[in-house]
């Protein structure tokens, strides 16, 4: 029997995330599972992500490999996955979500408020730029690229701090580098951050792969990230737009909050709504999630979100 093939980027984080899925898939299916490395433009270009299409560039090469039958499934960081449906592909599973927060990794154990005036903070995310400026206009925010290790290596050298995903640090065993975990209440992270997405070709899956996908699926995580990503889709904004979103479930109530920032951090708009998730089928609950996300989007647009950021027509 041939091995199941997981398409992955070659970065340490991508391999770590894909390896987590590999182990669970092998256990659930009883089959051998292997990684197939795929190189994208985002991996080879030194240009700013914003100029080459945002984080979606990482997904495009992987998706081409899946459609060409060079692999059987993909493992994505969900926050990097465009919200538009890709023809011929579907999200086969959303595993249990990890920590959705951003992590500040600063020299000398400093927190965001303790950084000196004019401190140099690195990030490649327009959302994080806007949030940093909204909190500390005095900071010198530097656009950076590179893997987690290369970014961390600049702290204490030419940078005072970098902002990274707490989940990514944890998956690499580097969470000890974080000097502050930024609470989602005042610092919403990217829609879907902390979650992985398993993408497969559309249509019936082989029985063992279908069994593996069922073992990986986590319903609550799917509901939460769907709510956040539908805000992004409803605003017609790209993955790199300065938008933060947070969904939580508490006693059967799904609460969704989203914030649109002016890129320079000088203004922002927030909308929050909730919906009671009635027990029952996933499609019915997803319809409820779609409704609450629509209310958040409508309120943001009615209050002028399009005047703050490139929404209402941004590319997916």
């Amino acid at each position: 029997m041939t091995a199941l093939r997981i398409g992955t980027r070659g970065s340490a984080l991508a391999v770590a995330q894909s390896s987590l899925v590999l182990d669970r898939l092998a256990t659930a299916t009883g089959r051998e599972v292997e990684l197939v490395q795929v190189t994208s433009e985002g991996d080879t270009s030194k240009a700013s992500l914003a100029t080459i299409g945002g984080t979606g560039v990482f997904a495009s090469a992987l998706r081409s490999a899946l459609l060409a039958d060079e692999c059987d499934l993909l493992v994505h960081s969900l926050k990097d996955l465009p919200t538009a449906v890709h023809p011929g592909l579907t999200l086969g599973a959303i595993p249990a979500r990890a920590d959705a927060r951003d992590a500040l990794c600063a020299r000398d154990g400093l927190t965001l408020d303790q950084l000196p005036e004019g401190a140099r903070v690195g990030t490649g995310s327009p959302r994080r730029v806007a949030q940093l400026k909204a909190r500390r206009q005095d900071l010198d925010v530097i656009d950076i690229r590179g893997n987690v290790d290369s970014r961390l290596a600049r702290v204490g050298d030419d940078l005072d701090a970098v902002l990274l995903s707490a989940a990514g640090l944890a998956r690499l065993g580097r969470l000890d580098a974080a000097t502050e975990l930024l609470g989602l209440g005042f610092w919403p992270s990217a829609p879907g951050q902390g979650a992985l997405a398993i993408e497969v070709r559309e249509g019936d899956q082989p029985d063992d792969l279908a069994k593996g996908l069922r073992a990986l699926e986590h319903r609550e995580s799917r509901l939460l990230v769907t709510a956040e990503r539908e805000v992004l889709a409803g605003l017609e904004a790209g993955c790199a737009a300065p938008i933060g979103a947070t969904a939580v479930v508490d006693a059967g109530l799904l609460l969704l909050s989203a914030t649109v920032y002016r890129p320079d951090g000088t203004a922002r708009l927030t909308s929050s709504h909730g919906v009671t998730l009635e027990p029952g089928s996933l499609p019915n609950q997803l319809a409820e999630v779609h409704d609450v996300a629509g209310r958040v989007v409508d309120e943001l647009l009615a209050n002028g979100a399009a005047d703050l950021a490139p929404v209402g027509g941004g590319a997916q």
Side-chain angles (χ1 to χ4, degrees):
M1 184 180 295
T2 58
L4 286 171
R5 302 162 297 168
I6 298 177
T8 180
R9 293 171 54 209
S11 73
L13 179 55
V15 170
Q17 292 177 163
S18 296
S19 296
L20 290 173
V21 173
L22 182 154
D23 292 339
R24 291 189 60 190
L25 201 58
T27 298
T29 63
R31 286 184 63 177
E32 182 182 349
V33 186
E34 63 183 22
L35 299 183
V36 175
Q37 186 171 322
V38 179
T39 302
S40 73
E41 180 187 1
D43 295 308
T44 56
S45 173
K46 300 300 183 184
S48 167
L49 279 180
T51 65
I52 59 173
T55 50
V57 299
F58 296 126
S60 59
L62 290 167
R63 286 170 153 177
S64 295
L66 181 57
L67 287 169
D69 195 26
E70 296 169 12
C71 53
D72 302 300
L73 65 153
L74 304 173
V75 178
H76 301 281
S77 290
L78 186 57
K79 71 180 180 67
D80 295 339
L81 197 62
T83 55
V85 174
H86 195 286
L89 301 179
T90 187
L91 293 184
I94 304 291
R97 188 183 201 172
D99 194 337
R101 291 176 292 179
D102 277 348
L104 181 79
C105 304
R107 61 174 176 81
D108 306 322
L110 298 174
T111 66
L112 185 56
D113 288 339
Q114 292 169 344
L115 287 171
E117 184 174 351
R120 292 166 55 87
V121 182
T123 177
S125 159
R127 169 188 60 85
R128 289 170 177 155
V129 171
Q131 289 175 314
L132 284 165
K133 287 295 190 179
R135 181 74 171 266
R136 293 277 308 270
Q137 276 288 325
D138 65 288
L139 294 176
D140 185 9
V141 183
I142 308 299
D143 182 55
I144 61 171
R145 291 287 313 275
N147 60 35
V148 170
D149 285 336
S150 67
R151 294 185 188 208
L152 289 175
R154 294 179 64 176
V155 176
D157 182 12
D158 67 323
L159 297 175
D160 295 289
V162 295
L163 270 177
L164 298 168
S165 157
L169 287 170
R171 288 169 182 144
L172 287 170
R174 298 298 307 274
L175 193 57
D176 60 341
T179 56
E180 184 179 9
L181 296 175
L182 301 170
L184 295 170
F186 74 92
W187 193 283
S189 55
Q193 183 162 309
L196 300 178
I198 314 304
E199 196 168 35
V200 294
R201 288 183 291 274
E202 208 167 31
D204 293 337
Q205 303 299 326
D207 288 345
D208 48 2
L209 179 53
K211 179 181 178 183
L213 294 174
R214 288 193 298 271
L216 289 165
E217 175 73 7
H218 187 257
R219 179 186 279 207
E220 182 175 301
S221 294
R222 182 178 285 269
L223 293 170
L224 295 177
V225 300
T226 297
E228 295 170 7
R229 284 168 56 79
E230 289 211 359
V231 170
L232 202 62
L235 290 173
E236 299 180 50
C239 296
I243 296 169
T246 300
V248 297
V249 171
D250 185 12
L253 179 67
L254 185 144
L255 301 167
L256 173 64
S257 180
T259 301
V260 177
Y261 298 86
R262 184 171 285 155
D264 64 4
T266 56
R268 63 182 181 269
L269 279 172
T270 297
S271 173
S272 301
H273 286 276
V275 64
T276 299
L277 294 173
E278 299 296 337
S281 69
L282 179 61
N284 287 343
Q285 291 183 330
L286 287 172
E288 294 164 347
V289 163
H290 178 77
D291 174 71
V292 74
R295 284 186 276 137
V296 168
V297 168
D298 289 346
E299 185 169 83
L300 287 169
L301 291 175
N303 288 338
D307 297 327
L308 294 185
V311 302
Q316 289 294 301

